[in-house]
Amino acid sequence: MRNPFRARRALTPTARVRRLRRRITILFALTSAAGLVAMAVLAVRSDGVRWREQLDRAMSADTNWALGLLETDEDGRLDTEVLLDNAGTACPPLFLLAVPSASSVPDGPDGPDTPGGLVVEHAPDRPCLTVSTASVRQAAATAVRADEPRSRDARTVDGEPVRMFALPFYPPDAEEDALPQGALVTVADASAQRADHRRLTWVVTGGCALLVLLSAGVGHLLSGRAVRPALEVLDRQEAFLTDAAHDLRTPAASLRTLAETALRGETDSTDVHRRTLRLAETMGTLVDGLLTRARLMSGTAPLAVEPLRLDQLVEAVVEDAATEGQRVAVRAPGAVVVAADPDLVRRAVANLVGNALVHGHLPGERAEVEVTVGGEGATATVTVEDAGPGLPPEVAGALFDRFRSGSGSTGLGLSIASWVAHAHGGSLTAETGRRGGARFVLRLPAGGPPSDG
C-alpha cells in the first residue's frame, strides 16, 4: 500500500510551489463561484417575484372593477345581471363564487377552504383559459378564509401555466367584523412571463459559468505572478547548486587522484605540493566566482557605487594579471570616469582579460591581447580584443550562459561579467575582432547605474 506521507515528502520545492499555485487558483475560482451563484439566485428570485407582482396588480384592477358592478337584491342575494351586461368575463376568465350562507362561513369539512364549501354563481361559458373548477374553488376558499386577496400559481387543464387571483367581497352595509359573502376569481396567462423567466435563468446560469471560468483563468494568472518570485529563487538556487557540483567535481577528483598517487609514493612530494596548491587556488577561484554569480543573480549583492577612474582600474587589473609571457597592451587615450562598484567592475574586467589570455591564442603561440578604454557620449567602454581563433559558432548565441564557453571551461567568468554590466545598467557584447579573434565590449553608463539597479 502506498504511503501518502512518503509521497508528500518526495515533492520538490518547485513542485510544492506549483501545487500551491493550483490551490490558490481553485480557491479563487470557488470564491468567485460562490459569490456569482448567490447573485444569480437573488436575480432569478427577484425576477420571479417581479413578474408575479405585475400579473397580480393587473388582475387586482380587473377584479376590483368587476366588484363595482356586483349588486345584491332586497333579500341579500347576489345579482350578477349588471356585471354580466357590462363586463366580458370570458377573457380573462372571471368566476363568481359565494358561500352557501351569506350570514356565516361554515367550518368543518365543508368550510370555505374545501372545494365543496363555495358555490359557483357564475363561470364563463367559453373562457380563453380553461381551468378546473376545483382550482377555482380552492383559490376562492383561500381568499375567503384569509379575509384578504390571495394569488397562486396554477395550470390549465392542458397544462399551461396561469396565475389565479381571488378577491373576497362582503354584503352591502357590512360591519367591520363581517364575514366575506364570496370571492371573485380571475385567471391570467403566465406562459410568456414564465418563458422570459426561464430564458433569464439560462442566461444567468451560462453567464455565471463563463465568469467562473474567466475568474479561474484570472486567478491562475494572478497566482502565477504571485509565485513567480519564489520559482525564480528556486531556479537560481538550483542553478547555483548545479554550478557548484559541476565546477568542483573535476578539481575534487584531481585532488583525490593526486592524494592516492602521493600515498603510493609514485611522485615527488614537491610536485605533489605544487599541484595541490594549484588545484586549491583553482577551487578557491571557482567558489568565489560561484558565490559572486549567485549574489548577482539573487540581487543580494548591493552596488557600492562611487566615482571611479575606469582607465586606472583597467591598468591595475592588467598589471595584476598572470600574463606568463603573454602580451597585453592597454590603450587609454584619456581619463574615463564612471560611477560604479569598483570590486564588481574589477572582477568583470579581470574575467574578460583572463578569458582572452586563456582562449585568445592558437596552440603553441602566445596571446596578444589589446584592451582599450574609451567613451562614447554617455557610455564608457572597455574593449578586450585578442588574436585567437575567434568565437565558436555553436556557442555564439549563448556565450554568456553558464557551461557555454565552448572550450571545456565553465564559462562563469563571462557570465559574471555580463551580470555586472547589466547590474550597472550597461551591457556586454561579443563579436569578431579585426584580427579574426574575439572582441568583447563592456559598456557602462558614464553617469552611473540606474536608480533601480
Side-chain angles (χ1 to χ4, degrees), residues 92 285 382 427:
T285 302
V382 177
S427 63

Side-chain angles (χ1 to χ4, degrees), residues 104-165:
S104 64
V105 179
D107 295 325
D110 295 330
D113 56 341
T114 61
L118 291 172
V119 178
V120 179
E121 297 287 344
H122 170 73
D125 295 333
R126 295 179 180 178
C128 57
L129 298 171
T130 305
V131 294
S132 64
T133 304
S135 297
V136 175
R137 287 182 173 176
Q138 186 66 39
T142 302
V144 169
R145 184 178 181 85
D147 199 11
E148 60 182 7
R150 288 300 176 96
S151 56
R152 60 194 295 260
D153 292 327
R155 290 190 176 273
T156 64
V157 294
D158 298 329
E160 296 297 327
V162 293
R163 185 76 172 167
M164 303 182 68
F165 182 84

